[in-house]
Amino acid sequence: MLPERSDHLLQSLLENPAFRSWAQGQCPADDAVWKQWALAHENGSEILREAAGIARAVPVRDAHLTDEYINQRISDALQIARRQEQRHENRKRDAFFPMFLSRWNVAASLLIVAGLCFAIFRIYHHTKPLATAPGMENSRSPFIEVSNMERAFKYVQLPDGSSVVLHRSGTLKYPQAFNGTKREVYLTGEAFFEVTKNPDQPFFVYAGEVTAKVHGTSFSIKAIADEKEITVAVKTGKVSVFTEKASPALLLTCNQQATFERAHAKLVRSALKSPVLLNIPIENQEFTYSETPAAEVFEALGKAYGVNIAFDRPSLAHCSITATLGDEPLENKLKWLCTILEARYTIAQDSITITGNPCN
């Protein structure tokens, strides 16, 4: 039996669709990923074995198991065990010892199956189910979850270079790599997005009941769980907004927003004077510079994205920048700036370091 402190790790594995697919033999290519997971956690190998056994014994097709489902699985297991015992009785073996062992094998099988069912019941019955939006259950890449509980806003860089500015109390889930035909992320709360353009791999944001399909653009989403509305506001480009509860889909362009009214399952489009939805600097900030000192440009970027940009002030004191950076993700902006300045940059979470030669 695993120690109590390991229960949350067991639970997180069983909630993870990528792990369940692997445990059920559907993703053998992920063996190295889960071996690395086991090495990175205390009692990892034992937790992984127990979780894999449960996933194989009681396949989970939904994120939540009801009492009726668990009871039915236990009832099925009891019937199987009784039939096994009856077959052994009918054989009427003469030797006492083999019969004794046979009865104990049946009892042991019964206890194992019932124990597995109880474990699943204890984990899922007392845990809030993981949201499963379209596509999440089929992902083969482990998911990363980022929450912002302290800052006014937090910068998140996605695997494709897209930028997300996550508002306070927001949570973003995304895969370690965007595999397959779509890029999919899952938002609870508020965030501003700048999406890297890739027509061959469209970008989807699942936010509560609303899905936003992005055509390479910048936009904001406000999807707080207990509020009456979900809102999408577009700064540049185009976004298609749709939901299973309302039709048809709405195509939004610059300075338009869509509001989903939860009570009426109604999706409404409206025009905006500006795309400000979350009241964070990046929503209405223009990245246009004319002979602007480099220090001012870096300070403006750091303020807009909520990142710390460190640079050698003496070396860049005489550098100036003339450029229009537009709605590209932060990393694209850095590439342009460093090309102009003949400098280099490194990104470590929400900290950026820029190094280069002095300007003449």
Side-chain angles (χ1 to χ4, degrees), residues 228-229 260-266:
K228 297 179 180 179
E229 299 177 340
F260 176 68
E261 300 173 0
R262 282 175 158 143
H264 304 100
K266 185 179 180 182

Side-chain angles (χ1 to χ4, degrees), residues 143-155:
F143 274 76
I144 296 170
E145 180 174 317
V146 177
S147 297
N148 179 20
M149 298 302 172
E150 299 176 356
R151 306 180 186 180
F153 50 96
K154 177 183 178 66
Y155 172 70

Side-chain angles (χ1 to χ4, degrees), residues 78-341:
L78 287 169
Q79 292 179 20
I80 292 170
R82 290 191 187 104
R83 286 198 295 268
Q84 291 176 345
E85 185 174 11
Q86 187 61 48
R87 284 197 296 269
H88 285 291
E89 288 285 352
N90 293 340
R91 290 174 186 172
K92 295 182 178 181
R93 295 178 181 174
D94 295 330
F96 170 79
F97 191 65
M99 177 61 76
F100 180 80
L101 288 179
S102 176
R103 287 175 178 273
W104 275 105
N105 286 338
V106 173
S109 298
L110 182 62
L111 288 174
I112 290 172
V113 173
L116 290 173
C117 290
F118 176 77
I120 289 287
F121 172 77
R122 182 170 61 87
I123 291 168
Y124 284 93
H125 185 67
H126 298 286
T127 305
K128 183 180 178 179
L130 181 68
T132 53
M136 177 179 277
E137 67 274 10
N138 296 322
S139 175
R140 295 187 178 185
S141 183
F143 274 76
I144 296 170
E145 180 174 317
V146 177
S147 297
N148 179 20
M149 298 302 172
E150 299 176 356
R151 306 180 186 180
F153 50 96
K154 177 183 178 66
Y155 172 70
V156 181
Q157 180 169 304
L158 299 180
D160 65 340
S162 295
S163 297
V164 182
V165 180
L166 188 62
H167 205 279
R168 190 194 303 273
S169 301
T171 299
L172 185 72
K173 296 185 181 75
Y174 59 93
Q176 289 183 355
F178 287 125
N179 300 320
T181 58
K182 296 188 289 186
R183 294 171 290 167
E184 298 172 303
V185 302
Y186 308 87
L187 172 69
T188 302
E190 304 167 281
F192 177 85
F193 292 79
E194 286 176 331
V195 177
T196 300
K197 296 177 178 64
N198 183 357
D200 296 329
Q201 194 181 38
F203 191 97
F204 291 82
V205 181
Y206 302 105
E209 298 94 319
V210 167
T211 300
K213 181 181 179 182
V214 184
H215 304 275
T217 189
S218 60
F219 62 99
S220 302
I221 296 183
K222 185 176 183 180
I224 299 175
D226 56 355
E227 291 195 356
K228 297 179 180 179
E229 299 177 340
I230 299 174
T231 306
V232 179
V234 176
K235 180 179 180 182
T236 60
K238 297 178 180 179
V239 178
S240 296
V241 180
F242 53 94
T243 173
E244 294 181 356
K245 297 183 178 181
S247 61
L250 299 181
L251 179 63
L252 306 181
T253 57
C254 177
N255 290 345
Q256 289 186 331
Q257 78 173 27
T259 302
F260 176 68
E261 300 173 0
R262 282 175 158 143
H264 304 100
K266 185 179 180 182
L267 197 57
V268 180
R269 176 170 44 204
S270 58
L272 302 170
K273 292 183 178 180
S274 72
V276 175
L277 176 65
L278 312 180
N279 292 319
I280 56 178
I282 196 172
E283 286 187 300
N284 59 2
Q285 185 163 335
E286 299 294 336
F287 298 99
T288 300
Y289 307 104
S290 177
E291 297 184 3
T292 305
E296 291 185 19
V297 176
F298 293 140
E299 288 169 358
L301 287 174
K303 180 180 178 181
Y305 288 92
V307 296
N308 177 46
I309 300 180
F311 57 94
D312 188 346
R313 288 181 179 273
S315 295
L316 299 176
H318 301 290
C319 298
S320 63
I321 294 171
T322 297
T324 298
L325 302 180
D327 65 338
E328 297 91 356
L330 175 58
E331 187 169 15
N332 289 4
K333 292 182 172 72
L334 293 173
K335 289 177 181 177
W336 278 104
L337 293 173
C338 288
T339 298
I340 294 170
L341 298 172

